[in-house]
Amino acid sequence: MNDTEKDNHLADFVDGKTASSADLDLRQLEETILHLKQSLPNDSPNSATSKQMLVRLKARLKREEVTSPQPFWKKILNFQNSPQISMALAL
Amino acid sequence: MVTTNYMHKINPEANDEILIHQFKTGHTEAFDLLYYRHLPNVYKRVRYVIPENDVEDVTQEIFIAAIKALPSFRGDAKFSTWLRTLTNHKVAEYYRKRTRKQEPLLAPLSDATTTMAGNTSKTMEERIFIQRAIQNLPENYREILLLRFAEDLQFNEIAQLTNQNLEAVKSLFRRAVAALRTHLDK
């Protein structure tokens, strides 16, 4: 098997499109992949966990006082995006 | 194009660009939508390389850094790409801090004694060993493993994302797995 064939075989193995290879080198790499899949989870947080994490993130942000996305002076400089400030300045 | 009227409402269907614009103009709730949209990938990526006990903490640090940096985000890259880079940076920082404190050999293994539901300490120890091996790989090897396994992207999606052809991606993947095996065998 040449390198390109090995690349394709391993990619297909990961995608579940092919069975294990008879080639010893490839078999070892397949074992590493299975080991990786078994040992490391890749599940997403569920909806409840995501919400709780956001609540804790906001609490931490509050503690660290970075709730404002922009410093005060940047907000003032951005007055063209705020009709209220634009009107106040126009008056 | 963003109209003035539109800016006062947060549309859950709005794309990242619009939400970022809204956030920059003071609609902080737009960040919540960005957060829910991108948390799964950030979380999965962090969980893949960081010991379980520190996953939420590192994830929080990534989003705090994102909030602080968003006002200067110019949109040269896609937000998801920018966030992925930020995630890698924070993960590297996590390991740098541990190394500086001379904790890498002891702390993660002691973390492993705190067992999570359904996980034995041996499993946790094994997980930390693999996570450290992944983190020690060259960046391009680590990245392709994370894209394929943590983010669950298909090879054609990775090729598109990284601007490479499919053959190059598959070749890189095989070399990355081989390098990981070498690290695990050490």
Side-chain angles (χ1 to χ4, degrees):
Chain A
M1 213 184 257
N2 65 31
D3 280 354
T4 307
E5 287 169 336
K6 285 182 179 178
D7 295 342
N8 285 328
H9 171 85
L10 203 63
D12 286 345
F13 179 80
V14 175
D15 291 341
K17 293 177 188 166
T18 186
S20 210
S21 167
D23 182 293
L24 183 63
D25 281 350
L26 276 175
R27 281 282 282 278
Q28 288 183 334
L29 299 184
E30 289 165 2
E31 278 169 19
T32 305
I33 287 169
L34 293 176
H35 187 42
L36 204 57
K37 282 186 168 180
Q38 263 177 356
S39 305
L40 300 181
N42 76 338
D43 44 331
S44 301
N46 62 34
S47 160
T49 305
S50 301
K51 279 181 188 163
Q52 286 163 4
M53 284 177 72
L54 183 59
V55 168
R56 289 193 288 267
L57 172 70
K58 285 185 172 177
R60 182 169 166 182
L61 279 166
K62 213 169 186 177
R63 282 200 303 276
E64 295 185 14
E65 293 181 332
V66 291
T67 41
S68 173
Q70 296 176 338
F72 167 75
W73 59 270
K74 269 198 173 177
K75 274 188 176 171
I76 295 294
L77 289 176
N78 257 347
F79 66 86
Q80 70 272 21
N81 291 324
S82 164
Q84 291 90 342
I85 295 176
S86 304
M87 280 179 72
L89 287 175
L91 290 173
Chain B
M1 175 136 181
V2 182
T3 66
T4 308
N5 272 345
Y6 189 80
M7 280 164 51
H8 291 288
K9 294 183 210 159
I10 303 296
N11 177 2
E13 304 296 319
N15 65 29
D16 289 352
E17 203 180 21
I18 292 172
L19 291 175
I20 290 165
H21 179 79
Q22 289 178 323
F23 177 74
K24 281 181 176 184
T25 53
H27 298 265
T28 51
E29 62 274 26
F31 181 78
D32 291 10
L33 290 175
L34 285 169
Y35 173 87
Y36 283 124
R37 189 173 292 171
H38 293 279
L39 175 68
N41 273 346
V42 170
Y43 181 85
K44 286 192 287 185
R45 187 171 263 262
V46 171
R47 199 165 175 223
Y48 218 75
V49 284
I50 298 283
E52 193 77 28
N53 289 349
D54 295 324
V55 169
E56 182 167 347
D57 197 41
V58 175
T59 305
Q60 277 190 359
E61 281 174 19
I62 291 160
F63 281 103
I64 288 172
I67 286 180
K68 287 179 178 173
L70 259 184
S72 56
F73 176 76
R74 294 184 311 173
D76 296 338
K78 279 170 75 178
F79 179 67
S80 54
T81 306
W82 181 78
L83 199 55
R84 194 177 280 123
T85 306
L86 190 59
T87 302
N88 289 347
H89 175 76
K90 285 289 169 189
V91 167
E93 188 181 274
Y94 169 88
Y95 278 100
R96 260 201 315 277
K97 280 182 184 169
R98 289 227 153 189
T99 309
R100 217 176 294 145
K101 288 185 198 166
Q102 297 189 317
E103 284 180 349
L105 293 174
L106 298 171
L109 293 181
S110 64
D111 288 349
T113 59
T114 315
T115 55
M116 310 298 284
N119 291 315
T120 65
S121 73
K122 191 167 166 47
T123 311
M124 295 292 284
E125 207 170 306
E126 174 70 10
R127 191 181 288 181
I128 290 166
F129 177 67
I130 299 173
Q131 286 174 327
R132 203 181 296 155
I134 293 173
Q135 195 57 30
N136 285 332
L137 290 173
E139 193 183 345
N140 57 343
Y141 287 174
R142 182 172 63 241
E143 190 58 27
I144 195 158
L145 294 179
L146 289 174
L147 289 171
R148 182 63 189 85
F149 292 120
E151 295 195 28
D152 216 14
L153 293 180
Q154 298 301 303
F155 288 106
N156 58 344
E157 293 173 314
I158 296 172
Q160 204 176 356
L161 189 74
T162 57
N163 260 333
Q164 296 181 82
N165 65 46
L166 189 58
E167 288 71 29
V169 167
K170 287 179 179 178
S171 169
L172 180 65
F173 176 75
R174 184 169 63 87
R175 285 180 281 130
V177 175
L180 179 63
R181 181 168 185 93
T182 307
H183 271 69
L184 293 175
D185 283 347
K186 273 180 189 170

